[in-house]
Each structure stands twice: as structure tokens, then as C-alpha cells.
Amino acid sequence: MKAPIHKNIESQVRTVTVQELRESHFDPNWHFHPHYQLFTVLEGTGKRLIGDSIHTFEPGDTVFLGPDIPHLWRSDSDYFNSESELFTHGIVLYFQEDFLGKDFLDRQEMLPLRQLFIESKRGIAYKGPLRDHIRAELQGMLHEEGFQSILRLMTLLDRLAHQEGGTPISSYGYVNTYKVSETERMQKVHSYVLQHFSQDIRLGDVASLAGMSEAAFCRYFKARSNKTFIDFVNEIRIGHACKLLLEDQWTIAQIAYDSGFDSLSNFNRNFKRYIGHTPREYKGNY
């Protein structure tokens, strides 16, 4: 997987680009681009990495991302099985800040929209009625052309700027510190962890994969991800455990070992640390 982390989505004919995605799995490459992005998942499950946030996703996952936020919707491993009949389905919309002209947002009337764009630089996840409205509008915009698509987008953005229902994704003050030249290194690390989190992951193996010593890799990862490598691995594992707990098919001990923890006590301790509840409490609450 050597696709560049800096993704080019330029269109020579459309100011607003809307794409329907139907594939066996979502794009597995961690990337960023200079566009604003609205994305909704219609079909598919997996893990979502946005900035310094890690979260599981399922149908209904809907987000608004500002420019240059690294992101990835990594489908579950079953989607990469050549014999699988699973598929993913989503709708994504791209636009740039100056899609209506360079001075448009400077007008006083655009203050709420400017604030929305500022907040989107951390990423915004939507739930409830507002999420349902975004999904319906994205589906409708697949069939719009010309000025109607721009008008519909402006109406939607105005609603997002004035109506509550969004939650920040990345931590406060998050800034993308990655460079295009670092693409292959971080892509290897992310892919390795997402494929092997249920197994024993040795720091030395991952550092070697990145071409660094263990100490240098730990400093490098913390500086760019705003978290330690151990926290990154544990968040992936806990997210997987949350999904299995809600499916209610396995015992908590089985889920602990399937998620990569070497003991039930270690799993319970880490689950409480990251989620704020024990696995049993989490299962009961939902």
C-alpha cells in the first residue's frame, strides 16, 4: 500500500464533487487532502481513524472533516477475504473553502459558516435527526447538477452551522504534523497494527518496520499522533472489544483474548481506563 497520504481530488468540471462508493472494502490508505469532506457510511463496519481519534464505525457513521485531517475508514478483516460477499457503500462530498470565491466567507453574514469551518478542522461526527438529514441530502445530491448542487450544499451547511447535533472528533488543538514524505512509514505502521492487533505486537518489530530504533520510534509516534504507540494499540483493541460486546455473542473472557489482551484482568483494567466503565457495565448500559 504505497498510495500517497496526500490525496488529489481535483475536478476540472465541478465545484462540488459527490461520489458514491461501492467496493468490497473502503480505501485502506491513511490520507489527507486540502478539501472539506462530508462522508456517510451506508454499509460496512470497521475502524475509523481521524486525526488522533480511533473509533469503530458501522452503517450510519456520518462526519464532516476540514482540510488536511489525516483519516481512514479501515474495513474489518472479513471484507478483505477474496471469498467474502460483504461489501461497503458510502457517499462522500468534497469542496474547497473558496468554492464560492475567495472573499465570500469574509462577509458578516458568513460568520456562523466560518465558525463551522473552524470546528471542522477537528472533525465533527453527527448523530440523531441531523445525521439523518445529512445522509438524505447527500443521497439527493448524487442526482443534482450545476447550480442546484451548490444551492443544496449551501442550505445544508447553513443548517449544520445553526443546529446542534455534532460532536468534535479529534482532541482540542489537534494539528496535522505529518509530511507527504512520511507516508510509507506511517502507512506500514497503521496497516500492521490494524491487521495484527489481536496478536502479540512487539515494539521492536514495529520500530524495525518503520526503520527506527525503539526509542526513536516512540518519540516519533508520540509527536505525530498525540498519543503513545501503546495507547494507539490499546484503543484499537478496546474499540474492537466494544463492537463484540454489543453483538452479545461471546463471553467477556473470549472478547478479551480475541481483542489481543493476554489476561482478563488486563482487559478489564484497560477497558475501564479508556471507556470509563467495566466491560460488563458497558454491555449493560447499551
Side-chain angles (χ1 to χ4, degrees):
M1 288 184 287
K2 297 184 179 180
I5 197 171
H6 182 274
K7 196 169 186 177
N8 186 6
I9 317 168
E10 294 296 340
S11 172
Q12 302 301 318
V13 296
R14 300 193 62 173
T15 303
V16 177
T17 302
V18 186
Q19 298 175 354
E20 187 170 20
L21 310 175
R22 290 181 181 270
E23 300 289 347
S24 57
H25 53 75
F26 287 127
D27 181 1
N29 294 299
W30 198 63
H31 61 272
F32 62 90
H33 45 71
H35 300 72
Y36 289 86
Q37 170 179 328
L38 269 167
F39 178 60
T40 187
V41 176
L42 301 176
E43 188 66 40
T45 60
K47 293 170 181 61
R48 181 188 75 193
L49 283 69
I50 297 177
D52 58 2
S53 166
I54 303 171
H55 200 277
T56 57
F57 73 84
E58 59 186 12
D61 190 48
T62 302
V63 305
F64 180 36
L65 303 182
D68 296 327
I69 301 179
H71 54 274
L72 163 67
W73 277 258
R74 172 81 183 195
S75 301
D76 285 331
S77 58
D78 290 344
Y79 287 83
F80 293 89
N81 187 332
S82 59
E83 299 178 358
S84 173
E85 296 182 357
L86 296 171
F87 70 96
T88 59
H89 185 196
I91 302 175
V92 61
L93 178 150
Y94 302 106
F95 66 93
Q96 290 189 291
E97 187 169 292
D98 61 352
F99 75 108
L100 289 175
K102 295 187 180 298
D103 300 327
F104 183 76
L105 287 175
D106 293 337
R107 302 179 186 278
Q108 181 63 29
E109 295 88 345
M110 295 299 105
L111 181 60
L113 189 57
R114 289 202 303 272
Q115 185 60 39
L116 173 68
F117 284 178
I118 291 172
E119 293 170 357
S120 74
K121 293 180 180 180
R122 294 172 60 189
I124 305 172
Y126 292 96
K127 293 185 178 181
L130 188 54
R131 180 198 67 181
D132 297 338
H133 178 73
I134 295 171
R135 289 161 58 82
E137 287 300 294
L138 289 176
Q139 289 174 312
M141 290 181 69
L142 284 170
H143 311 290
E144 298 283 8
E145 294 289 343
F147 179 70
Q148 289 302 317
S149 65
I150 296 176
L151 183 60
R152 196 160 186 169
L153 173 59
M154 288 300 297
T155 303
L156 175 58
L157 291 175
D158 182 66
R159 183 161 180 170
L160 298 185
H162 289 90
Q163 185 173 330
E164 294 185 359
T167 304
I169 298 174
S170 298
S171 59
Y172 182 77
Y174 172 79
V175 176
N176 176 16
T177 59
Y178 290 96
K179 301 176 182 178
V180 176
S181 59
E182 297 171 337
T183 302
E184 188 173 353
R185 172 182 290 164
M186 292 307 299
Q187 185 65 46
K188 285 180 178 179
V189 172
H190 282 105
S191 296
Y192 183 85
V193 174
L194 288 166
Q195 291 173 19
H196 298 90
F197 67 86
S198 62
Q199 306 163 18
D200 182 29
I201 294 180
R202 299 180 182 277
L203 179 60
D205 293 341
V206 181
S208 177
L209 193 66
M212 308 173 77
S213 68
E214 291 186 16
F217 173 74
C218 288
R219 292 193 299 269
Y220 172 83
F221 194 92
K222 177 68 180 292
R224 285 157 179 78
S225 299
N226 201 30
K227 64 183 68 181
T228 66
F229 177 70
I230 297 301
D231 281 337
F232 173 73
V233 174
N234 281 336
E235 287 182 18
I236 293 289
R237 288 171 168 167
I238 294 297
H240 179 72
C242 287
K243 177 186 173 184
L244 296 183
L245 285 167
L246 297 183
E247 290 177 356
D248 198 25
Q249 296 179 355
W250 293 8
T251 67
I252 292 178
Q254 289 173 320
I255 291 173
Y257 290 110
D258 187 75
S259 300
F261 291 95
D262 56 6
S263 69
L264 183 58
S265 60
N266 187 27
F267 171 62
N268 286 328
R269 182 173 61 255
N270 277 284
F271 197 96
K272 181 70 177 290
R273 175 190 171 195
Y274 290 99
I275 302 299
H277 301 279
T278 67
R280 197 171 302 279
E281 289 171 343
Y282 179 85
K283 189 175 182 179
N285 288 341
Y286 286 89

